[in-house]
Amino acid sequence: MNSLTIRVCLSQILSIAAINYFPALLPNFQAEWGLTNTEAGWISGIYFGGYAASVPILVSLTDRVDPRKIYLLSAGLGAISLIGFGFVAQGAWTATAFRLLAGISFAGTYMPGVRALSDSIRGANQSRAITFYTASIGVGNALSVFLAGWLTAHFGWRWAAILMGLCPVAGVVLFAFAVRPQQPQTVDQAVRTSFLDFRPALRNRSALGYMLGYAAHCWELFGFRSWMVAFMFFSLSLQPQINFKLSPQGLVTIILLAGVPASILGNEGALHWGRRRSITIVMLISGLIGCFIGFAAGLTFIIVVGFCLAYWIAIITDSGSLTAGLVSAARAEAAGRTMALYSFVGLSMGFLAPLAVGAVLDISGGGIAGWGLAFATLGLVAMSGAVWLRLFRNNKEG
């Protein structure tokens, strides 16, 4: 891994400090603001709604605007979203507004960061660089959960948000020095006039398979991650006699970090055994775990933690492989638009899945059966990803 990849990864880790701030403190906000599960799911999901709504524009711009500019402005917006949350948030509506801004910030850093790397690194090292970058999102996720829990315990949730807002500021500085300004690639007038024309991406059958697979993957990933802390709190509530040393936030931090090597190794396995075959196997395994993990909430807490760890590793193993596959399948003249559509399709599921989990919990009345049904909706959709990868492929891919 070269120095550029390392610095861009560090920038992204810092720039997404807001990503798990609310989900990590979800039980706190539910108690303080009296939020229903559906409202909590809405606030968690709107982060990805903001991402999905803005990513077609922000990432398509990378076809003719330096991705560096988009990244720096968007990371700055991430700082504003956290600091503003700390000073202003009073309930569901204000929290929703600042989480929306945070999601837009993520849209302007994640895929533009991928574009900066893919434009700078070619050949076999490109797939590995992108996988390391994707895995760094896992580190950023874990750091976000840890800081939210630790800072809130010492300073309260408002100052936690304000102090965490300094992380994207540091990410801006690091990225500005790591990535040199680039002139937009020269494109002909036909490409310039098709700025938001996604038909070339939709006609790319191989890329479309990865997009639909990514949608199923994101439904499961963001649905589970948004509710993992709350699920652990629920499991602990069934066993009040247990005095566990680590908080659910601390446990989730460890689980998210375990996903980092899983994503990297998953891509290495995909390079060795075949990308689509490997992704298909992993999706089926993770989907099966999702179908029963919620029903296991009443088991001994350490077993529940073990299931959460196994489920997260299964979910995240194909994350880097999907993105690397999409980048390799994208045609150069429409790479930005292909990445934009990929992100839009995937993160739209990231918006809907947390809301769906909350709605199922409310409709079912909660309890072990409610959690079981809620997480089963994640697993069933995840397994559909294997079908999409099979249906949408080029003949030469097998």
Side-chain angles (χ1 to χ4, degrees):
M1 186 165 57
N2 60 32
S3 61
L4 172 64
T5 303
I6 293 172
R7 286 177 288 174
V8 171
C9 287
L10 289 174
S11 301
Q12 187 65 4
I13 289 169
L14 294 168
S15 296
I16 61 170
I19 193 167
N20 279 324
Y21 171 77
F22 183 83
L25 302 176
L26 192 153
N28 304 53
F29 290 119
Q30 282 190 296
E32 184 170 336
W33 292 342
L35 302 173
T36 66
N37 289 315
T38 301
E39 288 172 330
W42 171 263
I43 299 170
S44 292
I46 199 65
Y47 179 95
F48 304 106
Y51 183 108
S54 56
V55 76
I57 296 174
L58 293 175
V59 182
S60 293
L61 276 172
T62 64
D63 277 337
R64 58 180 188 175
V65 175
D66 186 354
R68 182 177 183 270
K69 294 179 181 179
I70 299 169
Y71 189 104
L72 295 176
L73 290 172
S74 299
L77 182 62
I80 293 171
S81 73
L82 274 168
I83 295 170
F85 193 106
F87 277 118
V88 178
Q90 296 290 344
W93 288 109
T94 47
T96 296
F98 285 109
R99 293 298 291 169
L100 179 68
L101 292 180
I104 295 171
S105 167
F106 186 35
T109 59
Y110 182 31
M111 278 296 164
V114 171
R115 186 67 189 268
L117 278 178
S118 63
D119 285 349
S120 303
I121 301 173
R122 301 293 181 183
N125 289 329
Q126 186 188 72
S127 176
R128 290 190 173 92
I130 292 170
T131 299
F132 274 104
Y133 178 82
T134 303
S136 75
I137 303 297
V139 179
N141 278 308
L143 179 65
S144 180
V145 172
F146 171 76
L147 288 177
W150 187 82
L151 289 173
T152 297
H154 288 81
F155 306 106
W157 63 264
R158 290 194 183 276
W159 274 107
I162 294 166
L163 292 172
M164 288 172 69
L166 300 178
C167 291
V169 174
V172 167
V173 174
L174 184 56
F175 195 88
F177 282 100
V179 179
R180 295 179 180 179
Q182 296 182 2
Q183 291 295 324
Q185 296 182 2
T186 302
V187 293
D188 59 32
Q189 187 61 29
V191 174
R192 285 191 178 277
T193 55
S194 60
F195 167 47
L196 290 179
D197 181 0
F198 295 104
R199 285 175 296 178
L202 291 170
R203 287 194 293 264
N204 185 337
R205 190 171 181 83
S206 179
L208 189 57
Y210 286 113
M211 290 177 199
L212 295 173
Y214 186 61
H217 167 77
C218 286
W219 176 274
E220 184 179 42
L221 186 152
F222 294 115
F224 182 61
R225 194 179 70 193
S226 295
W227 285 95
M228 197 182 340
V229 172
F231 176 63
M232 286 193 180
F233 269 107
F234 171 73
S235 179
L236 273 175
S237 73
L238 302 177
Q239 307 167 63
Q241 73 280 6
I242 292 181
N243 184 19
F244 215 77
K245 292 184 179 180
L246 282 176
S247 67
Q249 288 95 342
L251 291 168
V252 171
T253 298
I254 295 170
I255 289 171
L256 293 178
L257 285 173
V260 175
S263 180
I264 295 170
L265 292 174
N267 183 65
E268 292 298 316
L271 291 174
H272 182 73
W273 291 300
R275 184 174 283 129
R276 287 179 183 257
R277 182 182 297 110
S278 297
I279 293 172
T280 296
I281 293 171
V282 170
M283 281 183 164
L284 293 175
I285 291 172
S286 69
L288 287 171
I289 298 174
C291 286
F292 73 78
I293 186 172
F295 295 105
L299 298 179
T300 303
F301 185 64
I302 191 65
I303 296 177
V304 174
V305 173
F307 277 138
C308 288
L309 174 62
Y311 190 30
W312 182 251
I313 288 176
I315 289 172
I316 208 69
T317 295
D318 59 1
S319 189
S321 301
L322 283 163
T323 303
L326 184 281
V327 172
S328 67
R331 300 185 179 109
E333 69 276 8
R337 283 165 290 161
T338 304
M339 291 180 189
L341 191 58
Y342 173 81
S343 297
F344 172 78
V345 171
L347 274 296
S348 293
M349 299 299 102
F351 163 59
L352 294 172
L355 179 60
V357 171
V360 171
L361 287 172
D362 279 339
I363 293 169
S364 65
I368 294 176
W371 281 102
L373 292 172
F375 283 164
T377 64
L378 304 180
L380 290 171
V381 172
M383 287 191 283
S384 75
V387 177
W388 303 126
L389 282 171
R390 178 69 179 174
L391 290 176
F392 292 90
R393 71 192 192 283
N394 291 330
N395 292 332
K396 65 180 180 181
E397 293 179 297

